Amino acid sequence: MREQLGWYALGHGTPEERAGVRAHLDGCAACRAELAELTPLTAWLARVDPDRLDEPQPAPPAGLGDAVLARIAAEGDARRGPSRRVLAAAAAVGIAAAGFGVGWLVRPVPPQPPLEPVAVEVTTTGIEATADVIPHTWGVEVRLVGEGFTAGAVYEVVVTDEDGTPVPAGQFLGIGPAELRCNLNSSVLREDATGFEVLAADGTVVATSEL
């Protein structure tokens, strides 16, 4: 099941396949922890342009990868920190940022629209949350920051339109007391969005916001 966590984190798979992974996550703390490590890396993977994979590839300077890995490993040891898998992924990101190796795979990043801070009302004890909203031409993005969401539990986010209709904006797994950051997307345009809700698996509203 561990081999399926990558595509699950990227939102791939049929509803039946994703339901199978969620069922496994409910009973496997190790996979929940690994998914929590993979989730912050999905934004980098989403920016890879597969149409440019056949373009000539510039070679990184000799020893750069080993040097980056050694530096990150040293800092990770000092904090009793991240796993080798996360260190390797971070090293790849570092090489890309330096303009070598994998940098040719990444599309230019357009300027980001301004963030709109919104108030979040939490209805469940132990949860804290804040959010920003970003308008896009294709809909609205909710950037949610919170803690206290039950580790391994699945939460769904919906954006309500001007008619009060809830429109799906994605899901996330709770990671307990650790800080959680999610980028959630809905097809509702900002001018038509009236709010959003965070729902537990049983449909209970644990957080809500009026836009």
Side-chain angles (χ1 to χ4, degrees):
M1 188 63 70
R2 291 179 61 193
E3 286 75 11
Q4 301 181 37
L5 295 178
W7 60 254
Y8 182 86
L10 289 170
H12 298 166
T14 65
E16 292 78 11
E17 290 171 335
R18 295 185 62 79
V21 175
R22 284 197 299 271
H24 173 77
L25 289 168
D26 287 342
C28 182
C31 281
R32 290 197 300 268
E34 185 163 333
L35 181 63
E37 290 182 338
L38 292 173
T39 300
L41 304 176
T42 57
W44 285 96
L45 294 175
R47 290 165 57 187
V48 173
D49 184 359
D51 294 333
R52 301 179 65 182
L53 292 177
D54 293 331
E55 294 182 5
Q57 181 178 179
L64 176 61
D66 290 339
V68 174
L69 273 175
R71 174 70 177 274
I72 296 175
E75 294 182 358
D77 289 342
R79 298 184 176 92
R80 300 177 60 86
S83 67
R84 294 177 61 86
R85 185 181 300 101
V86 175
L87 291 176
V93 170
I95 294 172
F100 299 109
V102 299
W104 59 278
L105 291 175
V106 181
R107 293 188 181 98
V109 180
Q112 292 295 312
L115 297 176
E116 175 188 344
V118 296
V120 178
E121 180 182 354
V122 176
T123 59
T124 299
T125 303
I127 292 179
E128 298 180 4
T130 60
D132 296 299
V133 169
I134 304 176
H136 294 283
T137 57
W138 43 260
V140 68
E141 177 182 353
V142 178
R143 292 191 175 179
L144 180 69
V145 178
E147 58 185 49
F149 293 95
T150 303
V154 177
Y155 294 86
E156 181 181 5
V157 178
V158 296
V159 172
T160 52
D161 63 17
E162 56 187 356
D163 296 325
T165 303
V167 179
Q171 296 179 325
F172 64 88
L173 282 177
I175 56 174
E179 184 181 74
L180 176 146
R181 292 178 175 269
C182 291
N183 294 358
L184 303 142
N185 300 317
S186 169
S187 59
V188 180
L189 294 174
R190 175 63 186 92
E191 57 265 29
D192 299 327
T194 59
F196 70 83
E197 296 179 337
V198 181
L199 310 174
D202 62 0
T204 302
V205 177
V206 300
T208 184
S209 178
E210 293 185 1
L211 305 182

